[in-house]
Amino acid sequence: MSLPAFKLVRPRSLDEALEALLRYGPEAQIVAGGTDLIPSMKQRLFEPRVLLDVKGLGELNYIRFNPEAGLELGALATITEISESALIAREFPVLHQAAASIASPLLRNLGTLGGNLCLDTRCLYYNQSAFWRESLGGCLKKDGHICHVAPGGNFCWAAYSGDCAPALLALEATVQLAGPRGNREIPLAEFYVNDGMVRLRKAQDEILIGVRVPARNAGFEGIYQKLRIRKSIDYPLAGVAAVMRKDSGGICREARIALTAVNPAPRLLPKAEALIGKEFSAGLVDEIAHEAIRTAKPLTTSASSPEYRRRMIRIFVRRALEDLWLGRRPRDGGAKKDLLSN
Amino acid sequence: MSAGSIPNSPVGSRVPMVDSFEKVTGAGKYADDLVLPGTLVGKILHSPHAHARIRRLDASRAGQLPGVFAVVTGKETPVKYGILPIGHDERIFADDKVRYIGDNVAGVAAESAEIAEEALRRIRVEYEILPAHLDLEKSMRAESNLIHDGRPHNIEKEYHHHFGDVEAGFKAADLVRFDRFDCAEVTHAALEPHSTLASFDDDGKLTVWSSTQVPYYLMKTLAATLEMPEENVRVIKPLVGGGFGGKSEVIPLELAAAVLARKAGRPVKITYTREEVFYAHRGRPRTIVELKTGVRRDGRLTAVEGRVIQDGGAFCGYGPVTMLYSGQLLNALYDIPNVKYDGYRVLTNKPACGAMRGHGTVNVRYAFETHLDMIAAGLGIDPAEIRRRNLLKPPCVTINGLRILSYGYPECLERVAEASNWSEKRGKLPFGKGIGIAGSHYVSGAANPIIRSDQPHSTVNLELDGEGTATILTGASEIGQGSDTVQAQIVAHELGIALDRVKIVAADTARTPIDLGSYSSRVTFMAGNAALAAAREAKRQILNAAATYFDVPAERLVLEDGRIFEAGNRAKALPLAQAVLLAAKPETVLRATGSYSTPAEARGGKYKGAGVGPSPAYSYSAQVAEVSVDVETGQVTVERIYAAHDCGKAINPLTVEGQVEGSVWMGLGQALEEEMVWKNGRLMNAGLLEYRSASTLDSPEIRPILVESADPEGPLGAKEAGEGSLAAVIPAVANAIYDAVGVWMTTLPITPERILKALEEKQRRTGS
Amino acid sequence: MTKQKILLHVNRATQELEAAPNRLLLEALREDLGLTGTKCGCDDSSCGACTVLVNGRPAMSCLMLAASYQDAEITTIEGLAPGKTRLSELASLQRAFAECGGVQCGFCTPGLILTTCSLLEKTPHPTDAEINEALSGNLCRCTGYTQILESVRRAIELMEKESAGEVVRP
């Protein structure tokens, strides 16, 4: 299937890219790996007049760590590079697991961290061909006025379906944005808007250039659990990232849990704070797992039913906490066991 | 002479497919790889409505667009067609009504895809929307706004068979059990999207290159719908990237490309998008199966009553055949003395269903084999044992007229039980782990052709030249299953020559003799027998010529390793190439023909519908599945499948195992994850991202076990191998789930959500 | 849309073509360069039939703009065995796929062979789990993958023998 027509701009530096964004305004769209945008363009979900291909910005492709700045990831680091980084596997296992679980090796080779974080929200009524959507009359998010998932409402429930974001939320990452007004750095949690149409707090003329994970979060035990039907290719239908630091007595000193694919934005679980200062108790774990389904509000935007996805969120949270707290190997819930041992 | 007694024969060897060089190098051409000078891109306008009347259609603005060479609408395509003579209800483009979302309304041919798409946008269609029939059980009660004229209650076809006396059978039973099963609609999803290139020459003759399993039927349908003499239509099948039945009837794009090419005066190629492949469909229908079975305390079946309803979609297609297979093949696996069958093929406003691997048998077999395990559990009989107690005793003719000669099913059951260590595991694994057994079977070609005729089902011509090279001319359609290789092996075997001395020219209706196509697992049996007959005829001529040369009776001569000699005297040998020239004189090429027709005894009974089901031979399969079930998440992991398949004789064990593994794997997809999801007549997953075909990481180990029952009529004893194994794996998994966690799964696919629901119901029922 | 000159480095040769910026690498290979061994199996970048190697890594050419990959080394299936005419002349990997039944309809085969090629370059002795992981983005609808796994194992065996100096003939 062919792409709609566009003018291709391939900047060689960030400055050139920002300049182009300014020049073409809302008619321009950024593409890096293309794994999200290109199939959507084939479906005519996007028909930008200008496509800004940023792959040439070598300055945005890095994975580095130092004790002051922490882990720094360039927006153009590929998912493969992140999943194959021995440093990340050792110090930030939750991110390693999340990255290694994304789509398939073929897609990870092209897909970038920036693209994964800026992934468009997904819905069964939205990610369809132009013919299909036209036959239905469009939806709230594209070319229509009705939400087919929650008829009568004017809120878009399309689900954010990236895997890196929950891992990075759990690791307290910040994102760096470059724009004509200079650079800014904001917590990743503030980067997202829980609305399937608004999605990101990123101005049209800004470019996501990198991500930073504070050094203090290095070495946290972490688990990423993911619901999908196939163990490859599929987007998550629900995902849980959890990290924990406990002291020698088994007391939880720090813990964070984030959810993906069950809301229009990836969400940190506020109740995870209740774990701090506690020793393991099945009751407490159950309580947190139960709380998780208050945060997860999936609708019928994907293959599995909302009930099942919420149920799985609860099980994943409980299993992740048990495994982290009791020091067990993660169970098969998307993370690839054989890779973890490498 | 039996296979294997010939030294260096390729029969029985693990031979790479003869076309594998072109496939591993990318040099081979599939339909979409072909281009002719001036080829235009064809595109089809599809209906956005499930059921609507076309009030007005104005295509004039499309034709005015520069770069557009042809626009064709339903007005210009009046001839109706369909794969079955009793079901001519399709047109190239819709007449006055559209009947499903995706139905074909008009076609354009243009210089580029962009222009063609723009032209489609310029076609104005005014629809009057009609109520759509989307639920099969409601559709079969509908009174008005019916989908086709002459089909009351939207019932395409119904069959009612009764053999023996089921009521007497139920009376004689100690236990009578009733169960209902519901199987979701699935599709072939061959990796190659359908593609057709059509071109007319200056004399008005049409050549079509298409991704088809049935070049012969396509040629006939092209001639009929384009109103041309058959001799002016040539169909060539290039490499085909998988079929599984999805290319076994005429697909709209094949006719659309031809009709556009004629109007444009230039070659036209249409390649479906993946979404269009889903709308072309012809897959396995959603099926409701209700079974009532009587059984004696010792496990002997006394009667089976089956009621089957299939959601056929908007057109007839192969529907009546699917319906009949579903009923007829209740009989060929077990000895069932009384059988009643009521089958309903229902029309709905969805893409037409058709033949898919294991045509008609799969859903009923899943239901029956699961139902049989439920019965065994009720009687406290081992599931393997209840199957042993109901075996047929061939040679025999079943009560519905199926003649059974070779019957490797008992051996299949024994071999899988042994390989899986069945008796040590069944009922003895820890909670959450389970093992299950089931059987299946399939025809080795339909004994009766689709279009009634006395011509052979397969004919093969053989040409031998003075270099000692044999060229097979066959109409059989290689679609990845290895049919070219099998024919080459048979010929090489019979002529005592190396496989690389055999060339094959296949599936070109202008050059190759008639073969009905690749469907109903007929090719090894029928084209194989024709190839064998042709090779034997060639050999007879060669040995007769050599007999004159040696001046000994032909019976004393041996043909081996490309040489002919008198038995016991290898020293004095005549090279085959020379003997060929002697036999061919005064020509330089020796020609022989062989053909295959089914024997009258194998063609079934005389009642209505008796023609479908009979086959000259049946394959058998028994399988054991080992699964584990996560009772919290409902996720089922299939650990391993043992699959024993009776293929009569494995002419090529490599490709037979490939077919068995592929069938088992495809059945697993239907068992666990594949499903066409519909909402208000709209297919929610018309792509390979959402229609989930398993990846390497989802695919368990499959251990094939080949059973060779040596069918007396099969070529060198061979029977079907490419479909029969699909059905058994679904009930084997369902039965293993019962062994693991104690719930019966009666709805396909067996999703984690359904497992959890079943577990909850069980808990409510038993309190445990 | 105006066409522009695009230079692609495909199979160790530089190829020039004229194409619009929306030309996908898949389209450029198949339609402009006649390299039809690269297949199109889906439209949502989920099947892997269009896999090519980009600087040695497998990727789907249906996602790549031809104009954006002018600096990359592209390898297609045609680049693995240039000028060969018989199975016995092919490299171990391709031969193994034919000999072990890794090929049925052949439509996924170019992609699978290229992905395997990249795997074995990086990891000459992969475990079965590593093979399955590496191939998990290339769908096959025919084989059930059992004979594909066997083909890869066989290729490894053949390559070992070859590097040990043994002459291996089919």
Side-chain angles (χ1 to χ4, degrees):
Chain A
M1 198 183 265
S2 305
L3 290 173
F6 51 80
K7 175 184 166 74
L8 181 67
V9 177
R10 300 173 70 206
R12 289 288 156 189
S13 70
L14 183 57
D15 288 344
E16 265 181 53
L18 289 169
E19 217 169 277
L21 263 188
L22 211 53
R23 181 167 351 122
Y24 297 110
E27 293 183 315
Q29 217 160 342
I30 298 169
V31 66
T35 54
D36 184 26
L37 183 62
I38 298 289
S40 296
M41 285 176 67
K42 289 180 188 173
Q43 297 180 322
R44 304 302 189 264
L45 287 170
F46 298 101
E47 296 178 79
R49 202 174 66 79
V50 175
L51 207 54
L52 198 63
D53 172 11
V54 295
K55 267 188 301 296
L57 311 187
E59 59 201 286
L60 299 188
N61 186 1
Y62 53 85
I63 297 175
R64 55 184 181 236
F65 180 80
N66 74 64
E68 276 91 65
L71 176 68
E72 294 180 298
L73 304 169
L76 288 183
T78 66
I79 303 300
T80 296
E81 285 162 351
I82 290 172
S83 69
E84 288 182 351
S85 158
L87 169 85
I88 292 174
R90 192 177 63 242
E91 301 296 332
F92 304 94
V94 69
L95 177 59
H96 165 79
Q97 291 168 40
S101 80
I102 291 175
S104 76
L106 302 176
L107 289 152
R108 296 199 290 272
N109 283 341
L110 290 182
T112 62
L113 176 65
N116 194 245
L117 293 179
C118 296
L119 209 61
D120 191 11
T121 50
R122 299 184 64 80
C123 177
L124 277 178
Y125 291 89
Y126 170 72
N127 299 98
Q128 297 282 1
S129 73
F131 165 76
W132 196 100
R133 286 180 286 110
E134 275 164 31
S135 84
L136 186 64
C139 74
L140 214 53
K141 188 165 158 73
K142 178 75 181 163
D143 299 335
H145 308 284
I146 299 168
C147 174
H148 303 279
V149 167
N154 55 2
F155 181 80
C156 174
W157 289 93
Y160 173 79
S161 306
D163 295 291
C164 287
L168 288 167
L169 281 176
L171 292 170
E172 297 182 301
T174 53
V175 291
Q176 297 150 335
L177 299 159
R181 297 165 299 280
N183 290 7
R184 63 186 180 116
E185 182 163 357
I186 56 169
L188 180 61
E190 289 172 22
F191 184 54
Y192 292 105
V193 183
N194 197 36
D195 177 324
M197 284 158 73
V198 182
R199 306 196 295 114
L200 303 175
R201 269 192 197 91
K202 181 173 87 69
Q204 193 280 321
D205 55 10
E206 283 184 312
I207 298 178
L208 172 67
I209 56 172
V211 173
R212 205 168 58 80
V213 177
R216 54 177 296 279
N217 285 336
F220 268 52
E221 294 293 324
I223 285 176
Y224 183 64
Q225 296 254 312
K226 170 173 176 176
L227 172 66
R228 53 185 155 179
I229 294 172
R230 288 180 291 198
K231 292 196 178 76
S232 185
I233 303 167
D234 291 356
Y235 283 94
L237 301 169
V240 170
V243 299
M244 186 183 282
R245 187 169 61 79
K246 47 187 199 285
D247 65 19
S248 55
I251 307 287
C252 172
R253 287 296 157 206
E254 216 167 326
R256 273 178 301 278
I257 300 165
L259 314 180
T260 191
V262 285
N263 293 298
R267 303 287 297 273
L268 270 168
L269 210 61
K271 277 284 174 178
E273 280 172 19
L275 297 163
I276 296 165
K278 307 277 172 44
E279 61 183 13
F280 175 81
S281 100
L284 178 60
V285 166
D286 267 349
E287 203 179 297
I288 302 294
H290 187 70
E291 279 299 322
I293 58 176
R294 286 175 190 271
T295 303
K297 290 200 168 41
L299 267 72
T300 45
T301 55
S302 65
S304 289
S305 74
E307 297 74 30
Y308 184 68
R309 284 154 71 202
R310 291 174 74 201
R311 186 169 182 155
M312 291 299 285
I313 286 283
R314 188 172 172 173
I315 292 169
F316 283 167
V317 168
R318 201 195 70 229
R319 285 183 175 185
L321 287 177
E322 284 173 358
D323 292 349
L324 287 171
W325 224 334
L326 302 174
R328 288 202 293 243
R329 281 174 62 89
R331 281 166 270 204
D332 191 8
K336 285 165 188 145
K337 283 181 280 190
D338 48 302
L339 287 179
L340 290 178
S341 56
N342 286 348
Chain B
M1 191 178 291
S2 74
S5 65
I6 297 177
N8 304 324
S9 165
V11 165
S13 306
R14 304 179 75 85
V15 175
M17 286 200 209
V18 292
D19 55 9
S20 50
F21 173 84
E22 45 185 338
K23 288 176 178 170
V24 298
T25 56
K29 298 291 181 199
Y30 298 75
D32 188 48
D33 301 338
L34 304 170
V35 269
L36 293 169
T39 299
L40 301 172
V41 178
K43 292 269 175 197
I44 295 171
L45 182 71
H46 298 287
S47 162
H49 304 296
H51 199 191
R53 199 169 300 286
I54 297 176
R55 278 247 177 264
R56 223 168 59 85
L57 192 157
D58 178 7
S60 56
R61 285 184 62 242
Q64 290 156 5
L65 191 67
V68 173
F69 284 76
V71 181
V72 179
T73 67
K75 282 205 172 55
E76 298 157 75
T77 60
V79 181
K80 288 186 174 183
Y81 72 95
I83 189 70
L84 301 181
I86 57 163
H88 282 201
D89 59 1
E90 298 184 57
R91 294 182 189 225
I92 303 177
F93 298 115
D95 48 352
D96 60 333
K97 254 176 56 162
V98 288
R99 294 175 170 86
Y100 64 94
I101 293 176
D103 203 349
N104 306 287
V105 176
V108 300
E111 262 170 5
S112 71
E114 288 78 11
I115 297 172
E117 274 158 18
E118 177 55 31
L120 291 185
R121 278 191 286 274
R122 289 173 166 227
I123 300 176
R124 292 277 160 251
V125 191
E126 220 175 273
Y127 293 101
E128 174 196 340
I129 295 173
L130 301 171
H133 305 280
L134 301 171
D135 177 85
L136 85 165
E137 285 173 294
K138 283 185 195 150
S139 186
M140 67 193 288
R141 294 194 298 269
E143 302 280 351
S144 57
N145 289 306
L146 299 176
I147 297 171
H148 288 284
D149 295 337
R151 292 287 179 271
H153 303 293
N154 287 328
I155 292 176
E156 173 61 41
K157 205 83 188 166
E158 55 188 285
Y159 291 99
H160 304 281
H161 289 162
H162 194 169
F163 306 102
D165 180 349
V166 287
E167 288 313 319
F170 290 135
K171 275 202 193 98
D174 295 310
L175 173 76
V176 177
R177 193 184 160 104
F178 172 86
D179 291 294
R180 179 183 159 108
F181 299 83
D182 195 336
C183 312
E185 183 175 354
V186 292
T187 199
H188 324 81
L191 214 50
E192 177 204 23
H194 302 63
S195 179
T196 300
L197 172 62
S199 176
F200 281 84
D201 68 14
D202 296 340
D203 302 330
K205 290 189 175 179
L206 167 66
T207 304
V208 165
W209 292 261
S210 192
S211 55
T212 177
Q213 298 175 233
V214 286
Y216 175 69
Y217 291 134
L218 174 57
M219 180 275 289
K220 290 183 90 69
T221 307
L222 281 163
T225 52
L226 274 73
E227 299 175 274
M228 295 170 62
E230 288 184 6
E231 57 269 28
N232 286 356
V233 180
R234 177 182 185 184
V235 173
I236 301 172
K237 179 207 68 68
L239 289 183
V240 172
F244 316 115
K247 296 164 182 168
S248 71
E249 47 181 299
V250 175
I251 300 296
L253 88 162
E254 300 182 296
L255 307 175
V259 84
L260 284 165
R262 179 161 68 184
K263 191 161 182 187
R266 278 170 64 170
V268 171
K269 182 159 76 181
I270 303 181
T271 301
Y272 274 159
T273 62
R274 180 51 70 177
E275 184 181 12
E276 288 178 299
V277 173
F278 277 88
Y279 297 147
H281 189 37
R282 317 281 154 166
R284 195 177 333 281
R286 179 180 165 213
T287 308
I288 294 169
V289 183
E290 293 173 345
L291 291 173
K292 182 178 167 189
T293 296
V295 60
R296 288 206 316 249
R297 205 165 282 115
D298 63 2
R300 276 287 292 135
L301 299 168
T302 60
V304 174
E305 192 177 314
R307 181 167 182 266
V308 176
I309 313 171
Q310 292 174 350
D311 182 348
F315 294 99
C316 174
Y318 271 113
V321 175
T322 320
M323 259 353 289
L324 284 166
Y325 271 132
S326 291
Q328 294 286 68
L329 292 189
L330 273 167
N331 288 75
L333 193 52
Y334 302 110
D335 181 18
I336 308 174
N338 304 292
V339 177
K340 186 165 179 285
Y341 173 68
D342 298 294
Y344 301 87
R345 180 77 168 195
V346 181
L347 294 158
T348 56
N349 289 113
K350 290 189 278 191
C353 292
M356 180 170 163
R357 206 174 198 176
H359 189 188
T361 68
V362 173
N363 292 338
V364 173
R365 185 50 49 199
Y366 149 67
F368 187 82
E369 294 289 309
T370 307
H371 179 67
L372 191 59
D373 263 43
M374 294 167 164
I375 289 167
L379 294 171
I381 300 176
D382 179 297
E385 183 55 29
I386 199 168
R387 288 173 170 81
R388 284 186 211 112
R389 290 186 192 170
N390 287 287
L391 295 172
L392 291 161
K393 289 171 194 67
C396 63
V397 177
T398 65
I399 50 166
N400 60 335
L402 309 182
R403 182 199 64 164
I404 316 281
L405 298 179
S406 61
Y407 183 62
Y409 187 48
E411 189 183 341
C412 288
L413 283 169
E414 294 318 311
R415 295 276 297 275
V416 282
E418 190 188 304
S420 64
N421 215 352
W422 170 261
S423 53
E424 297 304 308
K425 289 181 183 159
R426 212 273 307 180
K428 297 169 187 160
L429 297 172
F431 184 75
K433 296 221 174 264
I435 188 165
I437 194 166
S440 62
H441 59 149
Y442 201 61
V443 298
S444 303
N448 302 294
I450 294 168
I451 302 169
R452 268 186 209 150
S453 108
D454 290 329
Q455 78 193 15
H457 291 235
S458 287
T459 299
V460 166
N461 294 338
L462 197 56
E463 296 179 359
L464 281 90
D465 64 19
E467 315 270 292
T469 299
T471 301
I472 299 170
L473 293 126
T474 175
S477 294
E478 170 69 58
I479 56 168
Q481 83 281 41
S483 71
D484 282 0
T485 307
V486 160
Q487 291 173 80
Q489 283 178 276
I490 289 171
V491 167
H493 166 86
E494 203 56 30
L495 295 179
I497 57 177
L499 193 58
D500 62 8
R501 306 301 292 173
V502 182
K503 295 203 171 93
I504 188 150
V505 177
D508 173 345
T509 60
R511 289 184 69 194
T512 56
I514 294 174
D515 181 279
L516 300 182
S518 280
Y519 63 93
S520 75
S521 273
R522 53 177 299 287
V523 179
T524 294
F525 201 96
M526 297 187 179
N529 262 323
L532 185 65
R536 285 184 175 157
E537 167 59 17
K539 187 172 171 180
R540 192 189 61 78
Q541 293 180 35
I542 291 164
L543 291 184
N544 280 345
T548 312
Y549 172 86
F550 283 108
D551 198 19
V552 297
E555 307 80 73
R556 291 189 47 81
L557 295 175
V558 178
L559 169 53
E560 202 177 285
D561 286 339
R563 294 139 50 88
I564 296 157
F565 49 85
E566 205 181 335
N569 184 10
R570 275 174 181 273
K572 191 186 164 205
L574 176 67
L576 174 67
Q578 233 172 297
V580 164
L581 289 176
L582 289 176
K585 245 177 199 171
E587 306 284 324
T588 54
V589 175
L590 174 71
R591 290 186 173 82
T593 291
S595 63
Y596 177 79
S597 299
T598 49
E601 314 83 78
R603 292 182 199 168
K606 296 284 177 232
Y607 55 93
K608 185 187 170 208
V612 176
S615 172
Y618 300 84
S619 73
Y620 295 92
S621 179
Q623 293 175 33
V624 166
E626 291 183 359
V627 307
S628 57
V629 180
D630 182 329
V631 290
E632 257 193 333
T633 64
Q635 282 163 353
V636 175
T637 305
V638 176
E639 312 278 357
R640 206 167 288 102
I641 302 288
Y642 302 88
H645 184 97
D646 166 24
C647 64
K649 160 78 191 170
I651 290 173
N652 188 344
L654 180 73
T655 56
V656 172
E657 285 176 9
Q659 287 303 303
V660 171
E661 289 161 8
S663 298
V664 168
W665 175 88
M666 198 170 269
L668 280 172
Q670 185 182 349
L672 298 173
E673 66 226 353
E674 289 182 30
E675 173 176 14
M676 288 173 80
V677 180
W678 297 96
K679 288 230 171 90
N680 300 324
R682 199 165 273 105
L683 183 59
M684 300 302 287
N685 55 345
L688 294 180
L689 187 60
E690 294 289 335
Y691 186 91
R692 291 176 170 85
S693 183
S695 77
T696 50
L697 296 175
D698 312 296
S699 303
E701 180 189 2
I702 298 165
R703 293 194 191 165
I705 298 164
L706 302 188
V707 169
E708 298 186 310
S709 62
D711 188 82
E713 293 177 7
L716 310 173
K719 301 191 287 189
E720 189 278 336
E723 306 189 57
S725 282
L726 192 148
V729 74
I730 305 173
V733 167
N735 294 339
I737 290 169
Y738 177 77
D739 190 48
V741 294
V743 294
W744 294 115
M745 300 309 297
T746 56
T747 302
L748 297 182
I750 303 170
T751 59
E753 299 187 61
R754 289 189 172 129
I755 294 266
L756 292 179
K757 196 163 159 250
L759 285 167
E760 277 158 16
E761 271 164 21
K762 181 191 163 207
Q763 200 166 23
R764 263 201 302 279
R765 235 181 15 252
T766 64
S768 66
Chain C
M1 204 166 25
T2 48
K3 290 190 174 185
Q4 62 188 74
K5 196 170 87 175
I6 293 176
L7 291 178
L8 289 174
H9 308 287
V10 183
N11 301 332
R12 298 195 193 84
T14 302
Q15 308 268 10
E16 188 181 319
L17 57 117
E18 294 270 316
N22 67 348
R23 196 72 160 163
L24 292 164
L25 180 62
L26 171 64
E27 296 167 333
L29 292 171
R30 287 180 57 80
E31 292 165 38
D32 299 318
L33 304 180
L35 297 171
T36 55
T38 307
K39 305 299 183 195
C40 177
C42 68
D43 301 306
D44 53 14
S45 304
S46 59
C47 82
C50 65
T51 300
V52 297
L53 298 184
V54 184
N55 300 324
R57 293 260 196 188
M60 285 188 266
S61 58
C62 69
L63 287 171
M64 299 156 66
L65 301 177
S68 288
Y69 285 86
Q70 299 186 69
D71 304 325
E73 285 296 332
I74 309 288
T75 307
T76 70
I77 189 70
E78 290 89 349
L80 292 192
K84 301 290 194 288
T85 56
R86 298 163 66 87
L87 201 56
S88 58
E89 298 167 0
L90 296 178
S92 312
L93 178 56
Q94 285 163 298
R95 247 167 50 213
F97 265 75
E99 286 168 17
C100 297
V103 183
Q104 284 190 25
C105 85
F107 208 74
C108 69
T109 307
L112 270 159
I113 287 180
L114 287 164
T115 302
T116 308
C117 190
S118 165
L119 167 73
L120 298 184
E121 192 94 340
K122 265 197 317 184
T123 315
H125 299 283
T127 61
D128 285 356
E130 286 170 327
I131 297 169
N132 281 330
E133 167 61 32
L135 302 186
S136 67
N138 293 85
L139 293 181
C140 166
R141 194 70 180 158
C142 296
T143 62
Y145 304 107
T146 301
Q147 290 186 335
I148 287 174
L149 184 63
E150 283 163 13
S151 301
V152 178
R153 287 197 204 117
R154 172 75 178 148
I156 295 165
E157 201 181 292
L158 287 173
M159 287 155 94
E160 273 170 11
K161 283 185 179 161
E162 269 164 17
S163 64
E166 277 180 52
V167 181
V168 190
R169 284 278 148 248

